[in-house]
Amino acid sequence: MARVKLEMPRHFTFTTEMPVRISDINYGGHLGNDAVLSMIHEARVRFLKNHQYSELDVEGRGIVMTDSVIIYKAEGFHGEEVQIDVTVTDFNKYGCDFFYLLSNRKTAVEIAHAKTGIVFFDYSERKVVAVPEEFRNRFIKDAE
């Protein structure tokens, strides 16, 4: 089976930091894959909050994650601070992609590259809906 490839954007529009907690460590003694997915979820929530949104209210619509890709580059260890750079790009009719670059804040060593695909969702109707134009317009210039 071919390895998954992920082409990362050139620049990111938001940065946050979080520590590697003891609960993030797996039996190999390093940052676990499940913890990375949780960290990028937290980074996405912080990104949205920074723009006065939440996962349940982006211009009146919710979001649902449709896929995720994580490419591991290096280990992360308990107590290290991870810098997570986030951007949104690749808009289509119903959604877009969030990209994440996880790095050791102190050494700048890249720990992981990640992407989550999202679609916009009307929770009252239980159906996928178009990307809100206000959201697209806010970020489309950054994605170019």
Side-chain angles (χ1 to χ4, degrees), residues 36-69:
V36 172
L37 192 57
S38 289
M39 291 173 92
I40 64 175
H41 183 193
E42 176 67 26
R44 183 174 60 251
V45 168
R46 291 179 186 184
F47 172 91
L48 290 169
K49 184 175 182 179
N50 184 65
H51 294 286
Q52 290 74 53
Y53 295 132
S54 73
E55 291 186 315
L56 295 175
D57 185 6
V58 177
E59 304 294 342
R61 301 296 190 215
I63 62 171
V64 174
M65 185 172 67
T66 59
D67 58 66
S68 61
V69 175

Side-chain angles (χ1 to χ4, degrees), residues 93-108:
K93 182 176 180 179
Y94 298 107
C96 58
D97 291 331
F98 279 76
F99 283 85
Y100 315 85
L101 173 61
L102 288 76
S103 304
N104 180 305
R105 188 181 60 76
K106 185 176 180 181
T107 66

Side-chain angles (χ1 to χ4, degrees), residues 18-22 24-25 76-82 104-105:
M18 58 190 78
V20 177
R21 304 165 307 162
I22 193 64
D24 296 331
I25 302 302
F77 299 100
H78 176 250
E80 292 178 342
E81 286 289 322
V82 177
N104 180 305
R105 188 181 60 76

Side-chain angles (χ1 to χ4, degrees), residues 63-129:
I63 62 171
V64 174
M65 185 172 67
T66 59
D67 58 66
S68 61
V69 175
I70 302 173
I71 307 293
Y72 300 95
K73 300 294 199 175
E75 295 176 294
F77 299 100
H78 176 250
E80 292 178 342
E81 286 289 322
V82 177
Q83 176 177 312
I84 305 176
D85 299 310
V86 182
T87 198
V88 60
T89 189
D90 294 340
F91 284 90
N92 60 55
K93 182 176 180 179
Y94 298 107
C96 58
D97 291 331
F98 279 76
F99 283 85
Y100 315 85
L101 173 61
L102 288 76
S103 304
N104 180 305
R105 188 181 60 76
K106 185 176 180 181
T107 66
V109 170
E110 292 183 0
I111 297 169
H113 295 174
K115 177 196 82 75
T116 54
I118 64 111
V119 294
F120 287 83
F121 197 75
D122 182 327
Y123 279 94
S124 64
E125 297 287 324
R126 309 304 300 176
K127 67 179 187 175
V128 173
V129 295

